[in-house]
Amino acid sequence: KITVPTLTIGGAYDTMDPKHKEWMASEMPKGQYLHCPEGSHLAMYDDQETYFKGLIDFILAVDGK
């Protein structure tokens, strides 16, 4: 029932299964998945470059810029 653009984020060292987060994104019509290869559950700290670039790209795409 979620119809807005949605970003799920997973890290290679996350305590939550990154494959499950990828699946979650695929279940939403406007879902997108971002994988942080150096990230844990706190990828915004330990894989900042991937995390913030992916987040900003997602926001700009949704905003149409």
Side-chain angles (χ1 to χ4, degrees):
K1 296 182 180 182
I2 298 173
T3 59
V4 297
T6 305
L7 179 65
T8 62
I9 303 172
Y13 306 102
D14 200 332
T15 55
M16 297 177 71
D17 183 9
K19 290 291 182 191
H20 183 72
K21 290 183 179 183
E22 186 174 14
W23 171 82
M24 288 170 53
S26 75
E27 291 295 298
M28 294 175 260
K30 296 180 183 173
Q32 192 172 358
Y33 175 70
L34 172 64
H35 182 74
C36 297
E38 301 299 321
S40 67
H41 193 66
L42 297 172
M44 72 282 289
Y45 292 109
D46 48 27
D47 196 355
Q48 291 181 15
E49 188 173 332
T50 303
Y51 180 92
F52 286 107
K53 181 184 182 325
L55 180 59
I56 291 167
D57 288 349
F58 175 78
I59 292 169
L60 291 176
V62 169
D63 194 35
K65 295 182 177 177

